[in-house]
Amino acid sequence: DTHARERSDRASGGRRVVMKRITLLNNQNQKQRTVVVTAAAADLEALASAAKSKLRLKRVTAFYTEDGTILQPGAPLHDDQRVLASVGERFVGAAPFVPIAQLAAVGDLHGERFELPGEKGAICWLPLGGGRLCLWHRPSRRSFSKLQQSGCSTICTLLGANEGADGIGAGARAAGLNWLWTELKVGREDYLSTDEAAERVTRAVADVQAALSRG
């Protein structure tokens, strides 16, 4: 994992924008929360958009830090900080921090969600083995650095050689990610029912298990 590490993302005009990973919570119902990668200087519009789409809070009026301070535009954020979104109610106090893995162990949380700026569909990390696993759509060329910022270390691909697998591998390696590729003709139902396909999927699962065991 990449806790307490400064991240940056290439923005327009060659300017580098420092990014931080924070937990956004519903001030009234703090079991309702999501993890987002956002600018280190607080962007309240972006936070309000994340609160609306993922916490179902339509009209956020204020954001609070854990000590009850109202978050101001441009205020510095740090990795793993908790920010509480309010729709008009006063700060109710931040609940005691419980690690994600502990919440998952007792069944209060099914995964750790990450919002990637400009991407469709959140990532939902599930603790598994010594690491975390998620299922996501095919990444675009602009997705790889964002995946790396979310804590991703390895991308696993099940595609045929003529289905663009090499491009995914090149993008992953350029972003400093490991790439596991099992050649599989996923578009052919008749092939997927063969012993060869079953053997390749079995090998792919073993590769993923080995990666998870390394954390």
Side-chain angles (χ1 to χ4, degrees), residues 152-157 168-169 172-173 175-181 211 214-215:
C152 176
S153 62
T154 302
I155 291 180
C156 309
T157 302
I168 295 176
R173 288 189 290 265
L177 300 170
N178 300 317
W179 184 51
L180 301 177
W181 175 35
R214 293 191 293 269

Side-chain angles (χ1 to χ4, degrees), residues 65-136:
T65 61
E66 293 181 61
D67 63 1
T69 301
I70 295 179
L71 189 66
Q72 299 297 329
L77 299 173
H78 59 78
D79 278 328
D80 301 319
Q81 181 173 349
R82 293 191 293 169
V83 174
L84 294 85
S86 165
V87 290
E89 77 283 355
R90 295 182 178 181
F91 177 65
V92 299
F97 176 73
V98 180
I100 291 289
Q102 183 176 336
L103 284 172
V106 299
D108 286 341
L109 191 68
H110 299 291
E112 184 180 5
R113 295 177 65 87
F114 283 86
E115 301 299 324
L116 301 186
E119 296 289 342
K120 294 181 179 179
I123 283 182
C124 185
W125 288 115
L126 298 176
L128 189 64
R132 300 176 301 166
L133 180 69
C134 78
L135 180 66
W136 204 50

Side-chain angles (χ1 to χ4, degrees), residues 157-163 165-166 179-186 191-192 196-201 203-204 207:
T157 302
L158 298 175
L159 281 177
N162 63 342
E163 296 176 298
D166 287 341
W179 184 51
L180 301 177
W181 175 35
T182 297
E183 186 175 354
L184 198 67
K185 302 170 186 176
V186 295
Y191 170 75
L192 294 177
E196 177 185 325
E199 290 174 3
R200 292 193 176 194
V201 170
R203 289 200 301 269
D207 289 341

Side-chain angles (χ1 to χ4, degrees), residues 30-45:
Q30 294 179 29
K31 287 186 177 181
Q32 190 180 11
R33 64 181 187 171
T34 186
V35 180
V36 299
V37 177
T38 188
D43 182 342
L44 301 191
E45 289 187 6

Side-chain angles (χ1 to χ4, degrees), residues 13-27:
R15 184 170 55 89
R16 296 187 71 85
V17 179
V18 178
M19 307 296 286
K20 298 294 179 180
R21 189 179 67 192
I22 68 165
T23 300
L24 187 61
L25 304 94
N26 181 341
N27 181 50

